[in-house]
Amino acid sequence: MVFPKAFNASCQSVFERRRGIFPSSPWIFYYGPLKIQTSDMTSSGTSVGFGRTQIDPWDIIQSALIELIDSDMEIRREVFTLSESKISVPDEMKNGTGFFRALEDYFKQKRDDIVEYLNHLASEIKLHVDEGSTSVTSILEEYRRQCNENDLRLIELGIRQTCSLVGRDHELENVIESLQSVEYKGVWICGLGGMGKTSLAFEVCRRLFGEKWRIYNVELREQKYVRDLVRTALNVIDASLLTSSGDGFSGEVLESHATGIEDDIFVDYKEESWKQLLVQKCCEYSDQNQVLLLDNVDEILASDETSFYALLKRILKRRMKVENCPDHAYGMYRFLITSRSRFDHTRLEGSFQEIQLRELTEKQAIIFLEEKSKLHNVQLPQNEMKKVTSLCGCCPLAMLSVLGALQDIRPRDLILSLQSNDNSAVHVQSDVLGVELCLRQSFSLLNERYKITLMQLSVFRTTNFSIEAAIHVCGKNGHSGKANMQLEMVSLKKRHFIETPTGRFSENGQAQPPLSETHYVHPLVYQFLRNHQSMFENYVNDARSRFVEYIDRVISKSGDDSLSNLMKVTENYEPHIKLFYDYLTQMPSIRPSFVEDVPSIVSVMNRERLTDIVLDDASKHKHIIQMISESKAKSNDLETMFYQTSLAKFYIDRNNIDMCMELLEEMKDIVKSNEIFSKEADYIKRKRISKNHSEALILSRFWTVQAQFLNANENYDEAIDCLKYALMAIKKSRKECWSFMANIKNLVGIIYFKCKEYHHAERFHIEALEIVTSRNIYTDKDIYLTNIGNAKFKKSEQDVTGRESLLEDTERYYNMALNLETTQRNNKAKILSLRGKLYLRLLKLEDSENDLQESLNLWKTLVDPPNLNLISAYHSLSTLLLRKCTHLLEKDKVNEVSRCLTIVLNNYTEIQKQMAEGGLQWQRNKVLYKQIKQNHKRVLVQLNREKEEIDEMKRFYLDFEAGKFDKISRKEVTNEKNASSDSMQVEKESMDSDSLDTSSLLSTSSSLSVTSEDEELNNKLFTKTPEINDSLEKSCPVENSYRNQIDSGLGGSVNSPSFSAESDFKEKFWTSESSSAGEEVFSQNDNTRTNCEQIKRKPSDESKTCMIKRQKIII
């Protein structure tokens, strides 16, 4: 039933009109937002809202509904007929005003209950509008949403405390008390499905929110692994944290660490870096109490339980450490976890309080039914209530399902039907028997159209979805599609097949209620639907196909290859994107077609980049292999080349040399044999511009990957040629591929830097910066600024006349990089170290000490020892202090010298401890190791320590070089591996000779070496050990030669691989399509290395063979 003209006219001044009104139909109305000014009901300047000077929107809605009831006899009759079980109104009072007075008496002035009841009543008498206009239920939903928002604000102010839970008062108080105590670090709410775990957890958070706690609500439905948990949590805390420095969505915000376990096929460095970042965010200083709500962790426990507990343990361990810091008074940080499984006390003994939700008592269940039946316009006699609670097992979800079914059947008939089914049915496996029974009964009462719609919505599984997404998936596009979809959603929601998400609490403390048109399928309902999908298989398959089409369209709307645009898509559709790839893997026939034009190819590029976020390495590899196989089956060379370049990059990032080499050879053959590709490649090389832009874009990707491979093989000239061809190929597609172009230009600058052509390096880094700046994008901007500063610093060593100006420019670029709000903390630590070295060169010792100390402090908050970044930071600061001692000694400040030397000794003692625990592999970090050993001995000698202590230090380094600590570290790795397959402690304690802690790529870049100038000054201080100076002069920086092969982003660890001793070449393999500076960019060469630069490492026979074989790859 639609609203008559009278009601339309009366509300027209209350809600602003929008498009969608059809004048030809006098019964169609449309209402806009509730919070607008009214001319007929408010005075000038007064608005509708919840403020003191505003008129409550409810007064206006109520007034309009009263007028509707009074003006339409048919509506009035239906309203009172359907409500006679709840209200008793004398005939003379059967009008709109009498109706609302009776409702207020019945619901005891509870506004929420009145609105909920009117919502059901409006859907019963079909008070809705056709042709896409808004229904009465939509207006009431919008009002309720605004009420929820207002309630959260009042709770935040401590004015209002409401609770809609029934029968859970004791559990509610227990959870809050446990979270606020110092005895526990979290609360684990467990219980069978449908018992109200999420409702209880949200009510707890709502109470704590009113007490100024910060709430992070992490919804984990459809998340199977710890990787998914970490990604989702970071997205809730701050979505920008997932933006990586370097190659697009590499995700390596922090150092990754190779496990060194031979059985590992794919080491997911992204997951490890995200774990580090999450630990960091959980342990950042804040005087505000915080709760991290992990809701529905069941699938993670089923698939990745060991890793889940290992992550919790790691966070709690780090949190305990920082909370014991006397410098800051930390607020409480608590976990609130909901799961059907019980807490494993053996893993985290004494850390969590377990609260087990059981079924309601009969008395509580009857109270629950009484309260909820009022909202469903259902009246149940006391004896029937007892029968219903018994059949439902006193489970809240089952009882709600029964109340929904009573919209279509009389209570007595429903009870008889439930009893009959309970006695005869073969029950499927379910958490709660009553839920399956009641859902089956309620589902059988739906008409066929609603059954089909519900089955189609099951393709979302249990993720949240919008009305727009539901419309597309259900195929209801058309003139009246939205109105029909809304009507069906209201009906399904009333029967509790569809739920509305609970409110959210944003990171900045502002309450964020859910959107009124966002819904999800309860996990138990979804399980029920899966068990009955066979009868609707065709409808479900069509819905999956439309789902894939919908998400592909969403990704395509990003328009270009901008990382920021993709991040927005990820924020809004992350669970759906994961489902998207699941369906593509399960049903390859429904994947989107590969359209051969630049915008479409860019869209596919974006789609593939999103796999870096939502898929683990094994799943991503499987996905790409499948795409290549299907492309070859269709004999589509363009599509095949596209996915082969993706696979080649995948292999490069993971240091799989042989597979990458074979793939590049195969791609080279395709380019030669395919006439279009070969002609386009020749045209680009001759004309320096593209002709067939689609083929040119694919060739650009191929040349870029090939350049990375050549760069790893030290074929710098050929690598630069390939990158220049790649830039030419996308010159005409710069609008869509500007981010890709910036990455290529920055990579060219990196290689020129390796070739010591610093002028060219600076030019390309500046061009990369100009591209992102022109787009007002800050992604990777800190990388480009830092690289420009590094190039200028190196130019200052070559240009004596302009040195002062160049060093000033270097400082300015470092400062700009540090001052960017988007600069991640790990990048900041590295840039501070660089600026500290610059200040040391300028003899600004105090400034240098401040930067290096701040860098060390940042690393302490970012990583756990043992860690190479910490070792390097301790060493850099110590080297600076040794230089400082020289100047202090010249000024006869003996006491200050003694203080500095004591700090240095303490630093090297800590370094020694971390080395013993596996923090440094000296064979792969020889320069850093030699400097540490020399400085450690020097400080002992200068402090006049006993010979026994010096001898003990020497024995330690001899034992270390002999591998005495390797077995200990390997044993620790093995034990930790058995306890947790992917715990970060494995990576941090590993001393496996076949692997490299990839943060060691920072070995010399993050540390300060003692330059020849330092030697001269230190000779004044360390006169007792001239032999040490001789040994330093004789040392050859083999590590510098090694590190020149590695380009892995800012500081050298954005996409760092594990290394294998199987091939000498593998040690030099470049592993990232990075848009950031390479390792050598960060290495400020010392004058002592001048002679050693001339010494070239002789490649082994195996390495020579590899080089010759790889020469064949070059086009």
Side-chain angles (χ1 to χ4, degrees):
M1 179 179 294
V2 294
F3 284 92
K5 292 181 179 179
F7 186 62
N8 188 20
S10 66
C11 289
Q12 184 173 349
S13 61
V14 179
F15 305 103
E16 69 179 9
R17 290 177 172 270
R18 299 180 185 172
R19 290 178 296 179
I21 300 176
F22 298 87
S24 60
S25 177
W27 299 97
I28 295 174
F29 75 100
Y30 185 79
Y31 299 106
L34 291 168
K35 295 181 180 179
I36 55 92
Q37 293 189 357
T38 60
S39 58
D40 57 340
M41 301 186 67
T42 65
S43 59
S44 176
T46 304
S47 62
V48 178
F50 295 93
R52 292 185 177 181
T53 61
Q54 293 176 307
I55 291 179
D56 190 336
W58 173 249
D59 295 333
I60 301 174
I61 294 174
Q62 179 177 286
S63 176
L65 288 172
I66 288 174
E67 183 177 349
L68 167 66
I69 293 171
D70 291 342
S71 63
D72 191 296
M73 184 178 298
E74 182 182 355
I75 291 178
R76 182 167 65 250
R77 179 179 58 80
E78 290 198 45
V79 165
F80 282 99
T81 299
L82 292 172
S83 304
E84 61 183 0
S85 63
K86 286 187 168 46
I87 61 175
S88 178
V89 181
D91 291 341
E92 64 274 10
M93 292 294 294
K94 285 190 175 181
N95 53 36
T97 302
F99 173 73
F100 274 94
R101 285 179 181 174
L103 280 183
E104 290 172 354
D105 291 340
Y106 181 78
F107 287 105
K108 300 178 181 179
Q109 300 290 334
K110 293 182 179 179
R111 181 75 56 77
D112 293 344
D113 292 346
I114 295 174
V115 172
E116 180 71 16
Y117 173 74
L118 288 174
N119 201 353
H120 288 292
L121 183 65
S123 64
E124 279 293 318
I125 60 179
K126 303 296 189 292
L127 286 175
H128 68 281
V129 185
D130 294 328
E131 305 300 337
S133 299
T134 306
S135 64
V136 174
T137 56
S138 297
I139 294 175
L140 293 172
E141 285 284 347
E142 173 66 14
Y143 172 71
R144 184 164 57 179
R145 186 190 69 79
Q146 293 188 19
C147 287
N148 290 339
E149 182 180 10
N150 187 56
D151 286 347
L152 288 173
R153 290 172 180 165
L154 293 177
I155 290 172
E156 183 181 3
L157 297 172
I159 297 174
R160 183 175 181 180
Q161 294 287 340
T162 62
C163 179
S164 60
L165 293 176
V166 177
R168 299 299 187 191
D169 296 338
H170 175 71
E171 290 88 346
L172 179 62
E173 293 176 3
N174 199 352
V175 173
I176 293 177
E177 181 181 348
S178 299
L179 289 174
Q180 293 177 330
S181 73
V182 296
E183 182 179 358
Y184 300 107
K185 299 302 181 183
V187 173
W188 187 288
I189 302 175
C190 59
L192 298 177
M195 289 298 176
K197 298 181 293 294
T198 297
S199 299
L200 175 61
F202 181 73
E203 183 59 35
V204 168
C205 290
R206 205 161 68 137
R207 296 286 184 93
L208 295 177
F209 184 72
E211 298 179 15
K212 307 299 183 182
W213 285 57
R214 178 171 292 179
I215 311 297
Y216 298 104
N217 185 0
V218 182
E219 174 53 60
L220 296 173
R221 293 191 305 269
E222 295 300 323
Q223 309 292 8
K224 296 182 179 180
Y225 301 101
V226 167
R227 184 185 195 277
D228 303 322
L229 182 156
V230 174
R231 182 190 66 245
T232 306
L234 290 175
N235 201 33
V236 170
I237 295 171
D238 184 357
S240 65
L241 295 174
L242 295 175
T243 305
S244 67
S245 58
D247 178 31
F249 274 34
S250 68
E252 297 299 304
V253 183
L254 298 177
E255 268 53 57
S256 57
H257 300 263
T259 63
I261 305 301
E262 295 179 359
D263 293 339
D264 289 338
I265 300 175
F266 297 120
V267 178
D268 196 340
Y269 307 110
K270 195 179 296 89
E271 176 183 345
E272 308 308 333
S273 67
W274 286 350
K275 284 181 181 178
Q276 286 195 12
L277 186 54
L278 179 60
V279 173
Q280 169 203 330
K281 298 304 293 185
C282 290
C283 298
E284 281 185 348
Y285 171 72
S286 174
D287 57 1
Q288 184 179 12
N289 296 331
Q290 302 174 71
V291 168
L292 180 62
L293 170 58
L294 303 178
D295 193 22
N296 293 301
V297 300
D298 301 289
E299 292 194 51
I300 294 175
L301 291 177
S303 306
D304 209 5
E305 181 180 15
T306 301
S307 298
F308 176 75
Y309 280 105
L311 178 63
L312 288 182
K313 184 177 181 180
R314 184 174 172 213
I315 295 175
L316 293 177
K317 181 179 178 181
R318 173 71 76 84
R319 185 74 194 180
M320 184 181 300
K321 181 178 178 181
V322 298
E323 287 179 353
N324 291 333
C325 177
D327 299 334
H328 301 288
Y330 280 76
M332 290 187 289
Y333 196 97
R334 299 291 182 261
F335 288 92
L336 183 57
I337 299 175
T338 69
S339 171
R340 300 177 203 169
S341 304
R342 299 194 62 178
F343 176 66
D344 189 347
H345 291 276
T346 62
R347 297 179 183 269
L348 293 172
E349 185 176 356
S351 299
F352 278 76
Q353 170 74 352
E354 182 183 88
I355 305 294
Q356 189 171 2
L357 289 189
R358 302 184 183 276
E359 64 273 11
L360 299 174
T361 64
E362 182 178 308
K363 182 178 179 180
Q364 291 173 332
I366 290 175
I367 295 174
F368 181 89
L369 274 178
E370 288 175 344
E371 292 290 328
K372 299 302 180 182
S373 62
K374 294 177 182 180
L375 308 179
H376 288 75
N377 195 25
V378 172
Q379 187 170 12
L380 286 171
Q382 193 73 12
N383 63 329
E384 292 182 348
M385 281 191 180
K386 290 184 179 181
K387 293 179 181 179
V388 169
T389 57
S390 176
L391 289 166
C392 294
C394 293
C395 172
L397 179 61
M399 289 187 285
L400 289 173
S401 179
V402 167
L403 291 175
L406 288 175
Q407 309 296 318
D408 307 302
I409 190 173
R410 292 186 304 174
R412 182 176 301 177
D413 296 337
L414 178 61
I415 292 173
L416 290 174
S417 179
L418 287 173
Q419 290 174 334
S420 174
N421 289 332
D422 187 33
N423 293 329
S424 62
V426 177
H427 303 300
V428 298
Q429 184 177 359
S430 177
D431 282 336
V432 181
L433 181 60
V435 174
E436 165 68 23
L437 177 66
C438 298
L439 287 175
R440 183 161 15 100
Q441 183 63 46
S442 184
F443 184 77
S444 67
L445 296 173
L446 291 175
N447 65 45
E448 195 68 15
R449 180 164 63 94
Y450 283 9
K451 288 180 181 179
I452 292 173
T453 297
L454 187 57
M455 284 295 180
Q456 289 173 327
L457 292 176
S458 69
V459 302
F460 291 107
R461 296 183 185 172
T462 60
T463 62
N464 296 340
F465 58 87
S466 65
I467 285 291
E468 287 72 20
I471 290 171
H472 193 98
V473 165
C474 294
K476 296 187 182 298
N477 299 321
H479 204 48
S480 60
K482 184 172 183 179
N484 292 333
M485 191 74 244
Q486 287 176 325
L487 180 62
E488 293 182 18
M489 293 296 292
V490 168
S491 181
L492 293 173
K493 182 182 175 184
K494 185 171 60 175
R495 289 162 176 79
H496 296 281
F497 288 110
I498 301 295
E499 303 289 343
T500 300
T502 56
R504 296 169 292 135
F505 304 88
S506 70
E507 181 272 338
N508 60 10
Q510 297 297 318
Q512 294 182 334
L515 297 176
S516 58
E517 292 187 340
T518 303
H519 307 276
Y520 72 95
V521 178
H522 190 281
L524 288 182
V525 176
Y526 172 67
Q527 185 62 43
F528 167 81
L529 295 175
R530 281 192 62 184
N531 294 334
H532 296 79
Q533 273 185 1
S534 57
M535 296 181 293
F536 302 88
E537 187 173 356
N538 291 335
Y539 293 104
V540 174
N541 288 338
D542 289 343
R544 284 175 182 158
S545 179
R546 287 191 290 266
F547 174 86
V548 168
E549 180 184 275
Y550 175 75
I551 298 302
D552 185 57
R553 183 183 301 176
V554 168
I555 298 173
S556 301
K557 287 181 180 178
S558 58
D560 55 31
D561 64 342
S562 167
L563 179 58
S564 59
N565 288 341
L566 287 179
M567 286 304 300
K568 292 176 182 177
V569 172
T570 305
E571 286 182 53
N572 297 325
Y573 297 94
E574 188 268 338
H576 293 168
I577 294 173
K578 193 170 188 302
L579 280 180
F580 173 84
Y581 288 104
D582 285 347
Y583 288 142
L584 287 185
T585 302
Q586 297 169 9
M587 304 174 63
S589 60
I590 67 174
R591 71 182 180 91
S593 59
F594 191 91
V595 181
E596 299 181 4
D597 60 69
V598 171
S600 298
I601 294 175
V602 170
S603 175
V604 181
M605 288 171 59
N606 292 340
R607 199 166 69 207
E608 291 305 301
R609 291 172 71 185
L610 288 175
T611 61
D612 288 330
I613 286 187
V614 300
L615 299 182
D616 60 88
D617 282 357
S619 298
K620 180 177 179 179
H621 182 259
K622 179 180 178 182
H623 164 74
I624 299 176
I625 292 293
Q626 184 181 41
M627 295 296 104
I628 293 175
S629 176
E630 294 176 12
S631 301
K632 288 182 176 180
K634 296 186 297 184
S635 301
N636 188 328
D637 285 347
L638 188 70
E639 186 176 9
T640 300
M641 279 284 291
F642 175 88
Y643 286 110
Q644 283 181 329
T645 56
S646 297
L647 186 59
K649 181 182 179 300
F650 179 89
Y651 289 145
I652 285 178
D653 290 346
R654 286 143 191 88
N655 196 31
N656 194 328
I657 300 174
D658 294 334
M659 296 293 289
C660 182
M661 181 178 61
E662 293 175 6
L663 191 58
L664 286 173
E665 290 178 343
E666 183 179 347
M667 294 165 66
K668 175 187 173 183
D669 291 339
I670 293 177
V671 172
K672 287 185 176 180
S673 61
N674 185 288
E675 184 178 358
I676 298 178
F677 273 130
S678 60
K679 287 184 177 180
E680 184 66 21
D682 292 339
Y683 186 87
I684 291 171
K685 292 176 181 179
R686 286 186 294 104
K687 301 291 186 179
R688 307 179 67 84
I689 201 166
S690 63
K691 184 177 181 180
N692 298 317
H693 305 320
S694 300
E695 286 75 10
L697 178 54
I698 302 300
L699 284 171
S700 179
R701 285 167 53 88
F702 167 63
W703 282 322
T704 302
V705 175
Q706 187 179 10
Q708 296 168 10
F709 192 89
L710 293 168
N711 176 50
N713 198 31
E714 301 182 69
N715 292 323
Y716 299 138
D717 291 338
E718 292 89 342
I720 289 176
D721 287 341
C722 284
L723 291 174
K724 288 183 176 179
Y725 296 149
L727 288 172
M728 297 173 194
I730 59 174
K731 188 174 182 180
K732 287 189 175 181
S733 304
R734 65 181 66 186
K735 181 179 179 181
E736 297 86 358
C737 304
W738 60 268
S739 179
F740 184 36
M741 183 176 291
N743 288 343
I744 296 175
K745 286 181 177 291
N746 192 63
L747 182 54
V748 175
I750 290 171
I751 299 176
Y752 271 126
F753 192 100
K754 290 181 177 184
C755 299
K756 299 184 180 181
E757 298 183 35
Y758 304 121
H759 177 76
H760 292 305
E762 178 187 359
R763 177 169 64 87
F764 277 95
H765 290 318
I766 289 176
E767 289 178 4
L769 178 65
E770 288 174 348
I771 291 175
V772 297
T773 303
S774 65
R775 299 276 178 167
N776 293 321
I777 301 297
Y778 293 94
T779 304
D780 295 338
K781 192 171 182 178
D782 57 334
I783 304 293
Y784 302 155
L785 288 168
T786 305
N787 289 349
I788 295 170
N790 292 329
K792 287 183 175 292
F793 185 87
K794 284 299 185 182
K795 285 174 64 178
S796 70
E797 297 177 352
Q798 299 176 340
D799 186 359
V800 178
T801 57
R803 176 176 299 174
E804 184 175 350
S805 175
L806 288 169
L807 291 177
E808 289 178 357
D809 288 343
T810 301
E811 181 180 7
R812 181 165 57 88
Y813 278 100
Y814 287 162
N815 291 340
M816 285 191 290
L818 288 169
N819 292 333
L820 286 175
E821 294 182 0
T822 54
T823 301
Q824 301 289 350
R825 286 163 58 86
N826 65 305
N827 284 357
K828 184 177 180 181
K830 298 168 187 175
I831 302 171
L832 282 168
S833 180
L834 286 172
R835 194 173 68 176
K837 298 172 188 179
L838 171 66
Y839 287 150
L840 179 58
R841 180 63 61 88
L842 297 173
L843 295 181
K844 296 180 179 180
L845 300 185
E846 293 299 325
D847 291 336
S848 179
E849 182 178 358
N850 291 337
D851 277 357
L852 294 174
Q853 182 66 59
E854 185 178 354
S855 177
L856 173 61
N857 293 340
L858 280 172
W859 283 122
K860 287 181 179 179
T861 64
L862 288 169
V863 296
D864 291 324
N867 182 273
L868 190 76
N869 287 306
L870 280 174
I871 292 175
S872 181
Y874 277 119
H875 172 63
S876 297
L877 179 61
S878 299
T879 306
L880 177 277
L881 291 175
L882 290 176
R883 170 73 73 88
K884 186 177 180 180
C885 286
T886 304
H887 290 265
L888 292 173
L889 195 64
E890 291 174 348
K891 300 178 181 179
D892 294 327
K893 295 184 178 182
V894 179
N895 292 335
E896 187 67 17
V897 169
S898 178
R899 185 189 68 83
C900 289
L901 290 176
T902 302
I903 295 174
V904 171
L905 180 60
N906 292 336
N907 288 346
Y908 282 110
T909 301
E910 174 64 24
I911 289 174
Q912 193 178 48
K913 177 183 176 182
Q914 293 195 30
M915 288 172 58
E917 295 174 353
L920 174 67
Q921 295 183 353
W922 72 275
Q923 290 177 327
R924 301 189 185 280
N925 300 275
K926 292 183 179 179
V927 173
L928 175 63
Y929 173 69
K930 287 179 181 293
Q931 293 169 5
I932 290 173
K933 186 167 62 172
Q934 292 160 2
N935 284 1
H936 194 175
K937 182 176 180 180
R938 287 177 180 178
V939 70
L940 288 173
V941 172
Q942 183 60 28
L943 287 171
N944 295 318
R945 294 304 175 99
E946 297 293 334
K947 183 177 183 298
E948 290 77 8
E949 185 175 352
I950 297 177
D951 290 341
E952 183 180 355
M953 180 270 296
K954 291 180 179 179
R955 283 196 298 272
F956 168 83
Y957 287 108
L958 289 174
D959 290 342
F960 182 74
E961 293 171 16
K964 179 179 178 180
F965 302 100
D966 290 357
K967 293 182 179 179
I968 299 176
S969 298
R970 176 179 284 277
K971 182 178 180 180
E972 292 173 354
V973 170
T974 304
N975 292 338
E976 190 69 24
K977 180 69 177 180
N978 294 333
S980 172
S981 61
D982 64 345
S983 171
M984 284 299 294
Q985 281 304 112
V986 177
E987 288 76 18
K988 290 180 178 178
E989 296 177 358
S990 176
M991 279 283 292
D992 193 327
S993 61
D994 290 342
S995 69
L996 172 63
D997 180 339
T998 54
S999 58
S1000 66
L1001 298 176
L1002 280 173
S1003 58
T1004 59
S1005 63
S1006 292
S1007 62
L1008 287 172
S1009 57
V1010 181
T1011 64
S1012 58
E1013 183 180 1
D1014 294 332
E1015 287 291 300
E1016 182 180 351
L1017 293 170
N1018 285 328
N1019 281 338
K1020 301 176 183 179
L1021 181 63
F1022 306 118
T1023 55
K1024 297 182 180 181
T1025 55
E1027 71 279 5
I1028 299 180
N1029 296 324
D1030 295 335
S1031 65
L1032 177 64
E1033 292 295 336
K1034 294 177 182 178
S1035 64
C1036 178
V1038 177
E1039 176 65 18
N1040 187 57
S1041 174
Y1042 157 66
R1043 283 189 317 100
N1044 278 348
Q1045 318 314 319
I1046 307 298
D1047 283 327
S1048 49
L1050 185 58
S1053 54
V1054 173
N1055 260 327
S1056 305
S1058 61
F1059 285 79
S1060 171
E1062 295 176 1
S1063 169
D1064 189 43
F1065 181 81
K1066 290 186 179 183
E1067 298 182 4
K1068 304 188 297 179
F1069 194 75
W1070 188 84
T1071 62
S1072 172
E1073 181 182 311
S1074 174
S1075 59
S1076 57
E1079 277 304 311
E1080 182 61 21
V1081 175
F1082 284 86
S1083 177
Q1084 316 302 346
N1085 285 348
D1086 304 321
N1087 295 333
T1088 55
R1089 299 182 181 182
T1090 303
N1091 296 330
C1092 295
E1093 291 282 351
Q1094 301 172 2
I1095 302 177
K1096 295 185 178 180
R1097 174 181 170 209
K1098 296 181 179 180
S1100 63
D1101 294 338
E1102 182 180 359
S1103 179
K1104 288 180 179 179
T1105 303
C1106 290
M1107 292 180 183
I1108 295 172
K1109 194 174 182 180
R1110 285 164 179 75
Q1111 293 288 348
K1112 300 177 181 180
I1113 308 291
I1114 305 169
I1115 294 180

